[in-house]
Amino acid sequence: MSSLTRADAQLRAQTIAVTAYQVELDLTRGDQSDHPTFGSRSAVSFTATPGASTFLDLRAREVHSIDLNGTPIDPATVTDGRVTLTDLAPQNTVVVEATMAYSNDGQGLHRALDPADGLAYVYGHLFLDAAPTVFACFDQPDLKAPYSLTVTAPPEWTVLGNGAAVHTGDGRWELATTKPLATYFVTVCAGPYASVTDEHDGIPLGIHARASLAEHLREQAPEMLQVTRDAFDYYHQLFGIRYPFGSYHQVFVPEFNAGAMENPGCVTFRDAMIHRGAATDDERLGRANTICHEMAHMWFGDLVTMQWWDDLWLNESFAEYMAHRTLSAVTGSDDAWVDATVSRKAWGYAAERAPSTHPVAGSPAPDADTALQNFDGISYAKGAAVLRQLIAHLGDDAFVAGVTAYLSDHAYGNAALADFLGAMEAASGRSLTGWAEGWLTTAGLDTIAAEQADDSVRLTRTRPPGSAADRPHTLDVAGWSDGAQVLALPAVLTSDEATLPVAGSEPAALLIPNAGDLTWATVQLSAESLAALPAELAQVSEAQHRAVVWVALTDGLAHASVDPRLVVDTFAATWPGEDHPSILSRTGFLLTARVLGEYLADRHVPAARTAVAGAARARLDSAEPGSSQALGAARVLAATADPELLRRWADGEELPQGLAGDADFRWLVLRSLAVAGEVTVPELESAREADNSVQGNLGALTARAALPDEASKAWAWEQLVGDGRSNHERNALAGGFWLGRHADLLRQYVARFHRDVPALESRVGQDALARVATIAYPRTVVEEATVAATDERLAAGDLSPAVGRALIDQQSVLREVLASRKAFA
């Protein structure tokens, strides 16, 4: 199907205005076949330029009838997902009746079976251009309209959607007419969901999940509802604009591609966020952050929607920033900002290093498929950091006033970059033309470094090669020696160099530019600071400063300026005393997945693995039993310990407190045993039967794909690229396939990846395909031949935007690893 172009969207928006949708969905038929279907009837009312023509979007399994203003249109004329509508009247109604196909790739109306009880669940994920697979529509973000939905479902099901749902009997549900919505925000969630309901400030609240998760849902709902209540209060107080979409449901759905989706009144989440085993504090913080992020979208994206996808930052950057701000405000803790540093900003810096980097705002988006690729660390993490710089530039009062005016002026409509900047300039009385050019409409990031002399600190800003962007940075510099902070210097860097006086201060052993993580820049630690890390970092009491150092090390690995062995030494020296859950979690992943998994040469891995396992054992032994720190340490041990210990843990013996019977932890252990070839297929199948659940199925697929033998790899590859697997199952297989140092075994699959994964395009939507192509890329075959194979495949010029972007970016990461190995051989 052709992707909607911006030019076509602009022309259509000049021709018509949509006034109402009436959609009827019948979910009671066609669900017993190998290719289940549902019934769809849509009546779309719109005004138009008299006599003009336009097109309606429709991607159906079978079209039964199309009627425009009482005149039938031959269903056979539907071409490439479009229905041509001609000779339009000033007032029009087009009615379409069709049979639609459920999806199994997380897009459109997705249907999943829970193996725990055999029950089926349905949810709508119409982002980014999947709405026409559910109902006929004018599918673009600036043609917003009210929706009235009616859903017929099996009688034992619950139905939820954007409007409050009322069961009128015989499985029929009527949903209240919504405020004007963009097509990609419409959703229906239906199935035998378990529910916990509440009310706050006049807003009905609901939290829902699969029936097999009912007990865990009831246990965890009070915490999630408290976050929801606090966030509502904060947003209402901050903007003075009440939540505008009636009831507020949060539905945890199976096999969801993203973390969550901000459907007004009915937010959908990945149901792995309902923890069925032990969860660390940073996992609970991450869930709270996601709740606050999606709620922020009710204003940023839902109330005011971008005109076109090149301004998606008006949705995502604001939701990203507001989530961290809200959690910090309601908890009185900086943990949300520390987590943002080590998780979100590290992700964003990786996106900025990639060949596909792009500006925060105004990135070219000639069509919807291209725009989809820009939902990345630039639009989220960098955009949020840029907003922090804007606040530093204008002041928080001006920022809040400008945002409030922007939301009020464009409520229930659409806006673009110029609208936001105009509101900010009016609120602050300052021009933002130069500031926006440097921070919003130009890609790239500066490098910030600091060196200390006897009586000053020299702070430098290095721009990317060839860049003329002049970005002012509001930041700080911290200095530490033997556990004491000896420097705390605020700075505004408006040129390439600044000298900060520090008369009377002793030299710092560890000098950290941007220690408070206020700006967006690569932090380059001096050679002296790098050398001091193993001795000094553990004594730094400020978690935010430690987080900035770890991100600087991550960037240094990617730039081949930091020896991965230094990262191992720093981890071994600091991790036994680290207490911040987010730092523990992210650095544990950095060491186990990236340093041990990719960066280190094979000969350095055994000693490094021993060092990492030793640090994890020390942290486990010193942690309070059952604490978040203990769980984080146990997970790193599960990835690095010797097979004898892992075998005992897999058998339920000698487990750390709180992990007995934890099926998710057992799958981590079994995966490590699989990578080492220390478990058999029958043993994995027995474990799957003992954990007959969605998570158990995925854990078994990952572990079996990780087995280092020819037969297991052949089976896993066929499952990955063949028919019948869902989006999450493909991701689970891809996540296990390349694990371990098995290049000789896996080398033959490099060519097969470049042939077979792009071919999935005919069966898998672009959103899901982008994820599987990223996860399945053969990064652990760290050879120039892998790079060359990707070059050859890219040169063919026939890849979809999703696969092309994934290959380009993953090849770039592989090049970083190759450069590091060469630099520190």
Side-chain angles (χ1 to χ4, degrees):
M1 298 294 179
S2 297
S3 179
L4 178 69
T5 67
R6 180 173 190 161
D8 281 348
Q10 289 174 331
L11 180 59
R12 185 161 62 176
Q14 292 166 3
T15 305
I16 69 168
V18 187
T19 56
Y21 282 92
Q22 290 183 312
V23 178
E24 298 179 18
L25 302 178
D26 184 355
L27 310 184
T28 63
R29 56 180 180 155
D31 62 348
Q32 302 302 316
S33 67
D34 292 336
H35 303 285
T37 59
F38 60 95
S40 172
R41 182 185 188 276
S42 52
V44 190
S45 300
F46 62 101
T47 62
T49 302
S53 299
T54 190
F55 61 92
L56 185 74
D57 299 297
L58 174 62
R59 304 205 300 271
R61 173 67 62 81
E62 182 182 358
V63 182
H64 304 298
S65 65
I66 307 172
D67 180 285
L68 174 63
N69 299 330
T71 301
I73 297 175
D74 185 356
T77 63
V78 178
T79 303
D80 201 25
R82 293 182 176 181
V83 182
T84 300
L85 307 177
T86 60
D87 193 22
L88 296 174
Q91 304 284 339
N92 304 271
T93 299
V94 59
V95 180
V96 177
E97 295 197 30
T99 295
M100 302 293 200
Y102 286 110
S103 78
N104 73 341
D105 65 358
Q107 296 173 240
L109 201 60
H110 181 100
R111 184 175 183 273
L113 285 175
D114 186 348
D117 50 24
L119 298 178
Y121 294 86
V122 168
Y123 67 86
H125 185 58
L126 275 52
F127 170 88
L128 174 136
D129 60 354
T133 67
V134 180
F135 55 88
C137 59
F138 297 107
D139 189 26
Q140 60 191 71
D142 60 340
L143 291 178
K144 299 172 74 172
Y147 284 79
S148 300
L149 267 72
T150 302
V151 179
T152 303
E156 67 275 13
W157 282 17
T158 295
V159 172
L160 302 159
N162 305 100
V166 176
H167 189 202
T168 60
D170 297 325
R172 184 176 174 85
W173 296 74
E174 294 182 358
L175 280 65
T177 300
T178 70
K179 299 290 187 179
L181 304 180
T183 45
Y184 78 100
F185 289 139
V186 178
T187 192
V188 167
C189 299
Y193 284 100
S195 302
V196 174
T197 59
D198 196 6
E199 183 175 319
H200 177 68
D201 195 16
I203 304 169
L205 306 177
I207 299 184
H208 316 267
R210 288 179 284 123
S212 62
L213 294 173
E215 180 180 353
H216 304 296
L217 176 71
R218 287 191 293 269
E219 292 171 350
Q220 297 166 46
E223 178 179 310
M224 293 185 284
L225 286 168
Q226 187 60 53
V227 172
T228 303
R229 290 189 288 265
D230 289 343
F232 267 131
D233 290 345
Y234 184 75
Y235 290 138
H236 286 162
Q237 175 272 326
L238 188 65
F239 303 129
I241 302 172
R242 282 190 58 81
Y243 168 68
F245 297 111
S247 56
Y248 192 74
H249 295 280
Q250 299 174 90
V251 190
F252 292 81
V253 300
E255 300 180 343
F256 196 65
N257 277 331
M261 178 64 198
E262 64 270 21
N263 314 301
C266 189
V267 178
T268 44
F269 295 81
R270 180 191 293 256
D271 68 2
M273 291 186 186
I274 302 295
H275 308 301
R276 62 177 195 145
T280 60
D281 288 346
D282 70 289
E283 288 173 324
R284 294 169 54 234
L285 177 68
R287 182 174 66 189
N289 185 281
T290 303
I291 289 171
C292 293
H293 178 110
E294 302 310 321
M295 190 180 295
H297 273 308
M298 299 300 117
W299 289 265
F300 299 99
D302 296 4
L303 179 64
V304 180
T305 307
M306 62 205 165
Q307 195 81 28
W308 180 246
W309 301 107
D310 58 343
D311 272 322
L312 65 92
W313 79 285
L314 290 170
N315 295 12
E316 299 304 346
S317 299
F318 282 86
E320 181 88 358
Y321 166 73
M322 288 307 307
H324 304 316
R325 174 174 176 150
T326 300
L327 276 181
S328 180
V330 301
T331 64
S333 165
D334 289 334
D335 283 348
W337 290 116
V338 175
D339 186 74
T341 297
V342 294
S343 59
R344 309 298 288 181
K345 289 189 78 170
W347 168 50
Y349 288 144
E352 190 84 280
R353 290 193 302 270
S356 61
T357 188
H358 56 87
V360 172
S363 181
D367 58 41
D369 280 350
T370 303
L372 175 63
Q373 311 316 311
N374 289 337
F375 281 78
D376 59 13
I378 303 294
S379 300
Y380 287 73
K382 181 178 182 179
V386 167
L387 290 177
R388 294 189 82 182
Q389 283 295 293
L390 178 61
I391 292 168
H393 187 64
L394 299 180
D396 194 61
D397 289 345
F399 174 78
V400 173
V403 166
T404 301
Y406 163 81
L407 293 172
S408 299
D409 291 347
H410 301 282
Y412 304 112
N414 298 84
L417 170 63
D419 300 308
F420 172 75
L421 292 179
M424 285 296 146
E425 290 178 335
S428 65
R430 300 175 62 177
S431 171
L432 291 174
T433 301
W435 184 92
E437 182 179 350
W439 279 113
L440 289 175
T441 61
T442 304
L445 77 168
D446 301 331
T447 297
I448 304 294
E451 294 181 353
Q452 185 175 1
D454 291 339
D455 58 354
S456 65
V457 168
R458 177 172 171 263
L459 193 61
T460 61
R461 176 189 70 177
T462 304
R463 308 181 204 189
S467 173
D470 187 9
R471 301 180 183 91
H473 295 268
T474 300
L475 70 161
D476 64 338
V477 180
W480 291 82
S481 294
D482 296 324
Q485 185 171 358
V486 297
L487 287 177
L489 304 173
V492 178
L493 190 58
T494 57
S495 61
D496 290 340
E497 184 175 329
T499 300
L500 310 177
V502 291
S505 175
E506 63 179 272
L510 173 58
L511 198 61
I512 312 172
N514 194 32
D517 201 23
L518 295 176
T519 195
W520 178 264
T522 297
V523 169
Q524 186 176 74
L525 299 175
S526 66
E528 294 80 8
S529 290
L530 286 172
L533 282 178
E536 293 288 339
L537 186 57
Q539 303 180 74
V540 173
S541 58
E542 289 290 334
Q544 184 66 76
H545 297 184
R546 300 196 305 275
V548 167
V549 168
W550 276 111
V551 174
L553 289 176
T554 303
D555 289 345
L557 286 169
H559 290 296
S561 61
V562 171
D563 191 331
R565 289 168 292 185
L566 172 65
V567 179
V568 173
D569 292 343
T570 303
F571 183 89
T574 62
W575 220 69
E578 181 59 64
D579 63 355
H580 197 281
S582 295
I583 298 176
L584 280 167
S585 174
R586 301 301 172 176
T587 56
F589 177 82
L590 173 68
L591 268 292
T592 56
R594 301 303 315 283
V595 176
L596 294 177
E598 298 173 24
Y599 275 104
L600 285 170
D602 288 351
R603 65 184 180 278
H604 296 145
V605 170
R609 184 182 298 276
T610 298
V612 171
R617 170 54 74 182
R619 190 66 190 97
L620 179 60
D621 291 343
S622 65
E624 179 181 348
S627 66
S628 177
Q629 291 81 359
L631 176 57
R635 288 176 176 173
V636 172
L637 263 181
T640 56
D642 62 85
E644 288 78 9
L645 174 63
L646 296 181
R647 172 55 70 182
R648 294 195 294 275
W649 280 4
D651 292 339
E653 302 171 4
E654 303 176 18
L655 282 164
Q657 183 173 318
L659 292 177
D662 190 318
D664 291 333
F665 183 76
R666 189 180 187 219
W667 283 116
L668 292 179
V669 173
L670 289 171
R671 184 180 67 188
S672 291
L673 287 170
V675 172
E678 296 288 341
V679 69
T680 65
V681 171
E683 287 174 315
L684 293 175
E685 179 59 21
S686 177
R688 188 200 62 77
E689 291 175 355
D691 180 18
N692 188 28
S693 66
V694 170
Q695 297 92 325
N697 176 52
L698 298 178
L701 290 174
T702 299
R704 186 166 175 186
L707 288 168
D709 62 80
E710 292 280 359
S712 293
K713 295 303 181 189
W715 176 87
W717 193 257
E718 178 56 34
Q719 296 298 309
L720 172 63
V721 301
D723 292 328
R725 290 294 185 180
S726 72
N727 53 328
H728 270 210
E729 288 175 327
R730 293 186 200 276
N731 291 343
L733 289 158
F737 191 85
W738 303 99
L739 291 177
R741 299 285 179 134
H742 305 301
D744 290 342
L745 174 64
L746 296 171
R747 193 172 290 113
Q748 62 177 304
Y749 287 96
V750 172
R752 296 182 67 175
F753 165 84
H754 290 95
R755 180 194 69 199
D756 295 346
V757 170
L760 286 170
E761 183 182 3
S762 62
R763 291 167 281 159
V764 178
Q766 291 291 296
D767 190 19
L769 185 55
R771 297 172 197 277
V772 74
T774 297
I775 300 170
Y777 186 82
R779 267 184 15 204
T780 59
V781 184
V782 185
E783 299 171 354
E784 292 291 347
T786 307
V787 173
T790 301
D791 283 337
E792 181 179 356
R793 189 65 185 86
L794 290 168
D798 61 347
L799 296 176
S800 70
V803 177
R805 170 74 172 265
L807 265 61
I808 289 170
D809 286 354
Q810 292 307 301
Q811 182 198 54
S812 176
V813 176
L814 177 58
R815 289 184 190 273
E816 292 171 352
V817 174
L818 283 165
S820 176
R821 289 197 183 186
K822 181 178 180 181
F824 299 106

